[in-house]
Amino acid sequence: MANGEIIEKQADGSLKVPDSPEIPFIEGDGIGPEIWHATRQVIDAAVHKAYDGRKKISWVEVLAGEKAFEKTGNWLPDETLEEIERHAVAIKGLSLIHI
């Protein structure tokens, strides 16, 4: 597990984002790993520049697709959905998931 803090969903639907949020990511299949590697570098650099190093994302991988099937026999494990729900947001490839 990462060293960050969970993003809290407020009663009004807004999000309370800590300085070091944990954000689950799904690497994806095919060219997903290559795209994710580049995407992560861009996001991390943008956060560092925007917040002058005061904020940092702690990335947490969750499984889906081929990697999940190989490890669990399930294409979209319940654990992945539970982690996304618990964290309020997740990223898959270039898609932001907001629960």
Side-chain angles (χ1 to χ4, degrees):
M1 186 59 74
N3 299 347
E5 301 171 64
I6 302 293
I7 295 172
E8 295 178 26
K9 189 171 184 180
Q10 305 297 299
D12 66 0
S14 66
L15 301 176
K16 181 179 178 188
V17 182
D19 287 344
S20 183
E22 283 185 8
I23 298 181
F25 71 91
I26 297 169
E27 187 174 66
D29 298 330
I31 64 167
E34 293 173 49
I35 291 173
W36 171 245
H37 178 73
T39 300
R40 181 176 176 167
Q41 289 180 326
V42 169
I43 293 171
D44 286 343
V47 169
H48 181 78
K49 183 168 180 78
Y51 295 100
D52 198 26
R54 294 184 311 274
K55 297 184 182 228
K56 184 178 191 299
I57 297 171
S58 293
W59 298 104
V60 179
E61 184 172 17
V62 292
L63 298 176
E66 189 174 336
K67 187 186 276 188
F69 189 77
E70 289 174 1
K71 290 187 177 184
T72 70
N74 190 338
W75 294 96
L76 184 59
D78 290 339
E79 295 82 10
T80 294
L81 297 173
E82 291 164 5
E83 282 298 292
I84 293 171
E85 179 74 28
R86 187 170 79 86
H87 285 84
V89 299
I91 191 167
K92 189 265 179 220
L94 298 178
S95 303
L96 179 64
I97 302 166
H98 177 183
I99 302 292

